[in-house]
Amino acid sequence: MQAKRLAAAIAVTFAAATPLFAAAQTNVTIYGILDAAISSQDTGGPEGRTTVVNSGNQSSSRFGFRGTEDLGNGLKAMFNLEAGTAIDTGAGDSALFGRRAVVGLEGGFGSLTLGREYSPIAAVAGATDAFGQGFYGSNLSAFTSNRLTRRLANSVNYKSPSWNGFKLLAAYAAGEVTAANTPSGDLKGVGAEYTLGGLYLGAAYHTINRVPADEDKETAFGAGYKFDQLGGFEIKGNYLAADREGSAKYKQTNLGGSMPFGPHRVYANYQRQEQGAARGNSWALAYSYSLSKRTNLYASYASLDNNGSGVFGLSSSSVTIAPAATLLGKDPDVFSVGLRHSF
């Protein structure tokens, strides 16, 4: 009898406490994407064509936690922790939550976050990539080593509300350099976005205090339009540039589009990369078939033509293939078929 009374008391206490807990935490979501593909690729090297199984060709495989707490008067606390994972090996990224790790506030003023966040340039580049920064031939090749900056560690970030379709982005990332008489490593970034119906326009600019002589400069301009009257056909393009002290200016131009047909969607993108005398031009095609709202099959092909000085590569959401730095003028290409599931 005593045991029954104790169990009943615990049940009543838990039932009374549960509404209080639910009210404090209004929303917590566990989510993710699992993407794996079989690829036949040729980097242009002496090894010739190889077949590989890799992860994240259309979307980087990931899992994450995000949530909000209603603080009243239109103010919310929010957080997001997102980790990358490789489906082909089961390995995680070098940093556990290297994709995104932020805490912040949201309200009528917009949002303010602290932590590891996407840069203003990343916002513009992502919104104006015909491939959605997935599939080989995406504009993610502009964010490889010593080019543009996609994520900001040690950062403070502001995103304004929409003012008649106009939004302002601002970011400061502390380099946290402690040695005397050395550059701070700080990054400062600003951006602006404008949307009107199917139209998107964006621009962003970063400066980085990396070397004593001058600042590195990064620039992005992009545009896109969705034609609802043409069944959802989209056209997107952008210009991305990184002017880093000590190396020739890197420039990338993209123009592409996509078209849905029921569960089918086809994509195409042209990309030009330049750095000094080096040039690389690529064409890429992709196809996606939705099995459900969360699962799709896909196939893609991309080919890049380097000039005699070029060693540019092709980037998908998580993988980049490129000739070795010493193999000037070699031309990579890759064909992939894969499966993506989100939860």
Side-chain angles (χ1 to χ4, degrees):
M1 180 65 75
Q2 292 296 329
K4 289 182 178 179
R5 288 176 179 173
L6 180 59
I10 292 173
V12 170
T13 302
F14 180 77
T18 298
L20 296 177
F21 178 80
Q25 184 63 66
T26 57
N27 176 44
V28 176
T29 301
I30 301 174
Y31 67 93
I33 296 175
L34 303 177
D35 182 324
I38 303 171
S39 299
S40 174
Q41 63 186 42
D42 186 351
T43 64
E47 67 277 7
R49 184 166 294 277
T50 58
T51 299
V52 300
V53 175
N54 51 30
S55 176
N57 282 11
Q58 182 180 1
S59 299
S60 296
S61 296
R62 70 198 74 167
F63 66 92
F65 310 88
R66 58 182 170 229
T68 60
E69 180 186 9
D70 190 346
L71 302 176
N73 298 316
L75 184 65
K76 292 182 180 180
M78 57 80 66
F79 76 90
N80 189 190
L81 296 171
E82 188 171 286
T85 185
I87 297 302
D88 52 341
T89 64
D93 289 350
S94 56
L96 177 56
F97 294 111
R99 291 184 54 82
R100 194 177 189 228
V102 297
V103 63
L105 296 172
E106 299 175 335
F109 63 90
S111 67
L112 181 70
T113 59
L114 289 84
R116 182 168 175 82
E117 180 64 287
Y118 287 92
S119 70
I121 280 180
V124 174
T128 58
D129 183 60
F131 282 176
Q133 294 191 318
F135 304 123
Y136 285 102
S138 76
N139 67 22
L140 287 178
S141 52
F143 295 92
T144 55
S145 298
N146 298 318
R147 293 179 183 171
L148 288 87
T149 306
R150 190 176 182 215
R151 295 184 178 93
L152 306 176
N154 310 313
S155 67
V156 181
N157 307 271
Y158 172 70
K159 299 177 183 178
S160 78
S162 177
W163 299 307
N164 296 318
F166 176 83
K167 290 185 179 181
L168 176 68
L169 313 174
Y172 168 75
E176 299 188 354
V177 176
T178 58
N181 302 316
T182 56
S184 67
D186 294 354
L187 181 148
K188 303 179 183 70
V190 293
E193 298 179 302
Y194 178 73
T195 56
L196 177 64
L199 174 67
Y200 172 90
L201 300 172
Y205 180 72
H206 298 168
T207 62
I208 310 171
N209 184 218
R210 185 181 60 88
V211 294
D214 201 353
E215 291 183 321
D216 294 343
K217 302 172 183 65
E218 303 174 349
T219 308
F221 298 98
Y225 195 88
K226 182 177 181 180
F227 298 86
D228 290 330
Q229 65 273 31
L230 297 179
F233 170 67
E234 291 184 306
I235 185 169
K236 296 182 178 183
N238 51 57
Y239 170 80
L240 309 171
D243 191 0
R244 300 176 67 88
E245 283 297 309
S247 62
K249 184 176 183 178
Y250 172 84
K251 296 179 286 185
Q252 183 184 117
T253 305
N254 293 273
L255 180 62
S258 67
M259 182 70 184
F261 302 93
H264 312 273
R265 193 174 192 101
V266 294
Y267 307 77
N269 192 60
Y270 167 77
Q271 183 178 104
R272 180 175 176 85
Q273 300 181 74
E274 305 175 59
Q275 192 163 22
R279 304 284 188 275
N281 297 293
S282 64
W283 286 96
L285 299 171
Y287 164 77
S288 173
Y289 178 74
S290 295
L291 299 171
S292 70
K293 290 183 178 181
R294 295 181 177 272
T295 304
N296 69 279
L297 300 168
Y298 64 83
S300 70
Y301 176 77
S303 177
L304 190 150
D305 180 20
N306 278 307
N307 70 358
S309 303
V311 286
F312 296 110
L314 298 162
S315 292
S316 69
S317 191
S318 293
V319 185
T320 296
I321 63 166
T326 56
L327 297 178
L328 302 179
K330 299 300 182 181
D331 303 327
D333 74 274
V334 56
F335 172 74
S336 293
V337 292
L339 172 67
R340 183 182 68 162
H341 173 74
S342 62
F343 62 90

